[in-house]
Amino acid sequence: MNLNLAVFGSGNGSNCKAIVKAVDEKKLAAEVRLVISDQENAGILTFARERGIPSRWISREQYQTKDLFYSELTALLRYHQVGFIVLAGYLRKIGKPLIDMYPDKIINIHPALLPAFGGKGMYGIRVHQAVIDAGVKVTGITVHLVDEHYDHGPIVLQQAIDVDEQDTPETLAEKVLKLEHSYYPEAIRYFAENRCAVLNRKVCIKHSQKN
């Protein structure tokens, strides 16, 4: 049975495209059932419409209260039978109602090796600028479970790359984005194949039985 996904994003949706590509190529036993964005004109919504994937612009600012917002959002997720949430460049903090509804079933990808260069306000080019400014020699990506704190949940997967002396925040961003596109579908596959377990707030990955 496929893992029914909702992908949340605020930008162009390149990671969403990578996930859909992995599904199309039968590398990931999942289906993107819903795309959510907090930005009305986000590229991720355009991509979803082009692919015929149900999508919705929904933002806290559209609702008088937080309760109304989460009531609408959770109703959407139930209607589309979403079983797992993937954050792909989503710049809003995930609230407790969603975390309670999807315990250990929400993941995020961060463009650095957490716990370094994470936390509130650390996203996009800001992360890569901080890496350059710190003079570190290695950076990478982290896929982690989402809890009520920024960039804090148990780590599912990390992949590192070297930071070259000539790297700028922009060139580093390109290198890291390629890693994201390669490894985010792989991290989702752990859950689709029931190979991921959370024990004492640590993630354990079972080895694949496939050759």
Side-chain angles (χ1 to χ4, degrees), residues 75-116:
L76 270 173
L77 294 167
R78 289 192 183 96
Y79 178 80
H80 291 283
Q81 299 180 321
V82 170
F84 196 87
I85 296 174
V86 176
L87 306 185
Y90 189 64
L91 301 182
R92 299 293 182 108
K93 189 176 183 182
I94 297 298
K96 193 172 185 299
L98 276 192
I99 294 170
D100 288 345
M101 185 176 176
Y102 291 93
D104 297 331
K105 293 181 179 179
I106 307 175
I107 59 173
N108 179 53
I109 192 163
H110 184 76
L113 297 173
L114 294 175

Side-chain angles (χ1 to χ4, degrees), residues 25-207:
E25 294 175 351
K26 309 298 183 184
K27 296 177 180 178
L28 175 61
E31 179 183 355
V32 178
R33 303 294 296 268
L34 179 65
V35 168
I36 293 287
S37 183
D38 62 319
Q39 300 296 317
E40 183 178 10
N41 298 312
I44 193 172
L45 295 178
T46 301
F47 170 71
R49 288 191 290 268
E50 290 172 349
R51 287 300 306 259
I53 301 169
S55 61
R56 176 75 177 270
W57 165 48
I58 180 169
S59 175
R60 166 68 182 88
E61 288 75 16
Q62 296 170 298
Y63 297 86
Q64 290 185 341
T65 68
K66 187 183 294 185
D67 287 346
L68 286 173
F69 165 67
Y70 278 111
S71 177
E72 179 73 10
L73 181 55
T74 55
L76 270 173
L77 294 167
R78 289 192 183 96
Y79 178 80
H80 291 283
Q81 299 180 321
V82 170
F84 196 87
I85 296 174
V86 176
L87 306 185
Y90 189 64
L91 301 182
R92 299 293 182 108
K93 189 176 183 182
I94 297 298
K96 193 172 185 299
L98 276 192
I99 294 170
D100 288 345
M101 185 176 176
Y102 291 93
D104 297 331
K105 293 181 179 179
I106 307 175
I107 59 173
N108 179 53
I109 192 163
H110 184 76
L113 297 173
L114 294 175
F117 307 107
K120 186 176 181 180
M122 292 297 288
Y123 59 87
I125 205 71
R126 297 182 183 184
V127 176
H128 307 302
Q129 183 67 63
V131 168
I132 297 289
D133 291 346
V136 299
K137 302 301 183 184
V138 176
T139 188
I141 60 167
T142 303
V143 178
H144 65 94
L145 291 170
V146 173
D147 61 17
E148 294 180 65
H149 306 283
Y150 287 107
D151 303 327
H152 179 264
I155 291 172
V156 176
L157 175 153
Q158 288 187 308
Q159 187 69 25
I161 56 169
D162 293 333
V163 180
D164 298 325
E165 289 185 4
Q166 65 270 28
D167 269 325
T168 65
E170 290 74 22
T171 63
L172 198 56
E174 291 179 8
K175 289 160 62 173
V176 169
L177 192 60
K178 288 180 181 179
L179 277 187
E180 293 183 22
H181 294 167
S182 294
Y183 286 95
Y184 210 9
E186 176 69 13
I188 298 167
R189 192 158 70 91
Y190 295 158
F191 294 90
E193 296 177 356
N194 294 313
R195 293 166 51 203
C196 187
V198 183
L199 304 171
N200 298 320
R201 304 313 300 156
K202 291 185 178 181
V203 174
C204 300
I205 306 297
K206 300 176 185 176
H207 292 294

Side-chain angles (χ1 to χ4, degrees), residues 1-19:
M1 181 179 293
N2 287 345
L3 185 63
N4 290 341
L5 306 176
V7 180
F8 287 36
S10 301
N12 289 328
S14 66
N15 270 309
C16 183
K17 294 175 186 177
I19 292 164

